Amino acid sequence: MKKYPNKFTIYNLYDVYPDEIINISKEQRKIEEHDSLILQFPIYWFNCPSLMKKWLDEVFTNGWTYGNNGNKLFNRNIALVYCTQNLGHKIGGAVQKYSFYIISQLF
């Protein structure tokens, strides 16, 4: 992504919206300007972080994302990239930094 910075728009919702007041029209325009949407987030308590959930609820609206004329995500590539926190596990006195579960086992 560093090699082609003009092809990607990357930002952290917590940096852009520290007050958690989302500019819905700005976010919708940003999605419309791109062919693909990749949402990357950690999983907390079997869900995305609270600001990501709020962003999804407020940006993906009836009439824009779904419902009558809600077609703005049609023909876009959409991907989720998520991770789980791994604090490490002690095995034989050494801390192992890898997950013991695949994502389907967590859900």
Side-chain angles (χ1 to χ4, degrees):
M1 289 191 282
K2 288 181 181 180
K3 188 174 179 181
Y4 304 102
N6 58 331
K7 290 189 174 194
F8 302 97
T9 301
I10 301 169
Y11 65 93
N12 182 326
L13 288 176
Y14 287 96
D15 292 340
V16 176
Y17 300 112
D19 57 1
E20 298 191 12
I21 299 171
I22 297 169
N23 183 330
I24 297 167
S25 60
K26 174 184 167 189
E27 295 298 313
Q28 290 175 339
R29 276 192 312 274
K30 192 174 301 238
I31 292 169
E32 291 174 3
E33 292 170 359
H34 294 79
D35 295 329
S36 299
L37 174 64
I38 301 171
L39 303 174
Q40 181 177 356
F41 56 90
I43 295 176
Y44 295 130
W45 293 102
F46 306 99
N47 206 339
C48 59
S50 60
L51 186 55
M52 172 65 79
K53 174 71 168 103
K54 182 177 181 176
W55 185 91
L56 290 167
D57 289 345
E58 293 185 8
V59 175
F60 290 7
T61 57
N62 187 352
W64 190 81
T65 308
Y66 60 92
N68 290 337
N69 301 317
N71 59 5
K72 299 301 184 182
L73 296 181
F74 287 0
N75 296 319
R76 292 188 198 288
N77 300 308
I78 301 174
L80 299 178
V81 178
Y82 47 84
C83 62
T84 59
Q85 182 180 17
N86 184 352
L87 300 177
H89 301 278
K90 281 196 172 187
I91 298 177
V95 176
Q96 304 295 316
K97 294 283 190 176
Y98 55 87
S99 179
F100 289 98
Y101 305 100
I102 59 175
I103 205 71
S104 64
Q105 291 174 306
L106 298 174
F107 294 105

